[in-house]
C-alpha cells in the first residue's frame, strides 16, 4: 500500500508543530488532517478512519492521556496506532503514563527523521 493511501490525524495545539507535521507528512505522500484539540479529534474519529494518530500530551480541554483513554473506549482498534508528542517528559504524571502504555513517544524537539520512522513503524504493523 502506498503512503498516499494512508491517512494520518495530527492533534496538537501548537501551530508550529501542527504545521510542520502536516507539511512534512503531506510531502512524504500521506493524506493528513489536523486539529488543535482532542475534542475535535474525537469528532473526526467518529466519522473517518486513520492509520496513524499523532497526539500532543498537553492540550486545552483534554490531556493526551484522557484522549488515549477515550480512544481505547470508543475506537480500541486505533489504540496501537497512536504516537504521542511531548516536551514534558520530566512531569511525573506524563512519564508514568508513557511508561505504562506501549505507544511510541516523540520528545520535543524531534527530528523529521524521527517523525518519519515513528509513522512508518505504525504503518508497517498489520
Amino acid at each position: 500500500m502506498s503512503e498516499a493511501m494512508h491517512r494520518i490525524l495530527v492533534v496538537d495545539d501548537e501551530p508550529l508543530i501542527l504545521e510542520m507535521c502536516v507539511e512534512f507528512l503531506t510531502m512524504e505522500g500521506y493524506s493528513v488532517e489536523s486539529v488543535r484539540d482532542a475534542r475535535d479529534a474525537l469528532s473526526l474519529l467518529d466519522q473517518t478512519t486513520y492509520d496513524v494518530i499523532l497526539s500532543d500530551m498537553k492540550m486545552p480541554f483534554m490531556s493526551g492521556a484522557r484522549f488515549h483513554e477515550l480512544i481505547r473506549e470508543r475506537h480500541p482498534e486505533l489504540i496501537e496506532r497512536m504516537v504521542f508528542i511531548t516536551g514534558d517528559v520530566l512531569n511525573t504524571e506524563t512519564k508514568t503514563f508513557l511508561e505504562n502504555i506501549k505507544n511510541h513517544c516523540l520528545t520535543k524537539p524531534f527530528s523529521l527523521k524521527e517523525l518519519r520512522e515513528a509513522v512508518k513503524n505504525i504503518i508497517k504493523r498489520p
Side-chain angles (χ1 to χ4, degrees):
M1 189 182 266
S2 77
E3 281 84 356
M5 295 181 166
H6 292 291
R7 297 175 58 86
I8 299 174
L9 177 60
V10 182
V11 188
D12 200 309
D13 61 316
E14 288 184 51
L16 290 176
I17 298 283
L18 199 64
E19 189 178 313
M20 185 225 17
C21 289
V22 169
E23 243 178 73
F24 177 72
L25 293 169
T26 300
M27 285 179 10
E28 291 283 298
Y30 298 105
S31 172
V32 186
E33 289 185 63
S34 65
V35 291
R36 291 184 181 223
D37 67 67
R39 292 184 311 185
D40 290 343
L42 287 169
S43 193
L44 280 177
L45 289 167
D46 288 337
Q47 304 165 31
T48 310
T49 57
Y50 295 91
D51 298 294
V52 179
I53 302 165
L54 290 171
S55 175
D56 193 11
M57 282 298 300
K58 285 195 165 198
M59 300 175 282
F61 312 115
M62 186 184 312
S63 69
R66 179 68 180 139
F67 182 44
H68 182 269
E69 186 181 311
L70 290 172
I71 287 180
R72 183 181 298 287
E73 291 171 13
R74 293 161 71 167
H75 304 284
E77 72 284 0
L78 296 176
I79 206 70
E80 291 181 4
R81 300 204 156 270
M82 293 184 78
V83 173
F84 288 97
I85 300 169
T86 188
D88 191 26
V89 287
L90 298 180
N91 176 302
T92 308
E93 193 176 309
T94 301
K95 188 176 179 182
T96 302
F97 168 75
L98 292 170
E99 286 171 356
N100 288 324
I101 62 169
K102 293 181 171 100
N103 300 74
H104 188 76
C105 179
L106 294 170
T107 304
K108 295 176 188 174
F110 54 87
S111 70
L112 295 176
K113 181 182 178 195
E114 289 172 303
L115 176 59
R116 177 188 295 123
E117 290 306 309
V119 168
K120 282 190 176 189
N121 285 337
I122 294 214
I123 286 177
K124 282 193 284 187
R125 291 180 186 166

